[in-house]
Amino acid sequence: QLMEELFVYALLYSEGFDMWPSYTGTLDKLFIEDPENEIYLSLEGMAPKEAVLHTLSIMDESEFDMESFGKILMQSLLRIYEDTGIELFARKMYSLWNKLPRHIGQNEPFFTLCYADDCLSYHDEEQCRLLYEKAMRYYG
């Protein structure tokens, strides 16, 4: 589950959310569990932007627990959603969706992140919020 957490925090950080402390805390746990791991060692030595970009490329090439990843992502998004204006949130969600591996992004609840913002162009904030909230509560 720690790798899924790391992927979530890297995604959120790449969208400008303050996830660096969560990212480094998770990376430290991974490294402590497996200090011989070359990937963790190299990530530990990288600057934030470089580490996050490298983590996202690892995510693209990895097989991981999509359900675990989804739960962590949607719980994190719900906390962000509650503190962010809907227009900014919607813009960032479409961008985040574009960074997901294709085989994940085409499934719910992730696919909602691709189109929920469309409602805003019709001034239907209520429908937009309903779609996001349904996606974020998908696992619980």
Side-chain angles (χ1 to χ4, degrees):
Q1 183 176 343
L2 285 175
M3 251 349 252
E4 289 82 0
E5 270 185 52
L6 194 70
F7 294 152
V8 166
Y9 298 144
L11 270 170
L12 295 173
Y13 182 86
S14 76
E15 287 304 322
F17 297 112
D18 183 22
M19 290 294 168
W20 188 244
S22 300
Y23 176 90
T24 56
T26 302
L27 179 57
D28 290 348
K29 287 179 198 166
L30 284 164
F31 185 67
I32 288 167
E33 282 182 8
D34 186 5
E36 303 298 312
N37 187 303
E38 293 290 325
I39 294 170
Y40 305 153
L41 181 61
S42 67
L43 288 172
E44 285 278 359
M46 292 179 188
K49 189 174 183 179
E50 183 185 12
V52 164
L53 290 174
H54 191 63
T55 302
L56 293 178
S57 73
I58 293 167
M59 180 179 72
D60 276 339
E61 299 161 8
S62 296
E63 289 294 321
F64 55 91
D65 184 340
M66 196 164 78
E67 186 161 334
S68 177
F69 172 81
K71 284 179 183 175
I72 297 163
L73 179 62
M74 294 304 159
Q75 287 171 349
S76 299
L77 289 179
L78 188 56
R79 286 192 295 276
I80 291 168
Y81 171 79
E82 291 167 349
D83 296 331
T84 308
I86 191 65
E87 288 83 8
L88 176 62
F89 184 82
R91 212 171 31 250
K92 289 186 177 285
M93 290 310 97
Y94 181 74
S95 177
L96 185 146
W97 175 79
N98 271 310
K99 294 175 182 168
L100 292 172
R102 284 287 156 236
H103 72 282
I104 290 178
Q106 299 305 316
N107 295 300
E108 289 301 345
F110 312 102
F111 193 60
T112 299
L113 304 178
C114 169
Y115 65 81
D117 64 326
D118 292 348
C119 303
L120 291 178
S121 59
Y122 305 107
H123 308 290
D124 191 352
E125 182 180 322
E126 184 180 351
Q127 180 64 23
C128 180
R129 287 184 179 281
L130 285 171
L131 289 169
Y132 282 129
E133 289 168 15
K134 181 180 178 192
M136 290 182 286
R137 289 186 170 84
Y138 183 87
Y139 294 101

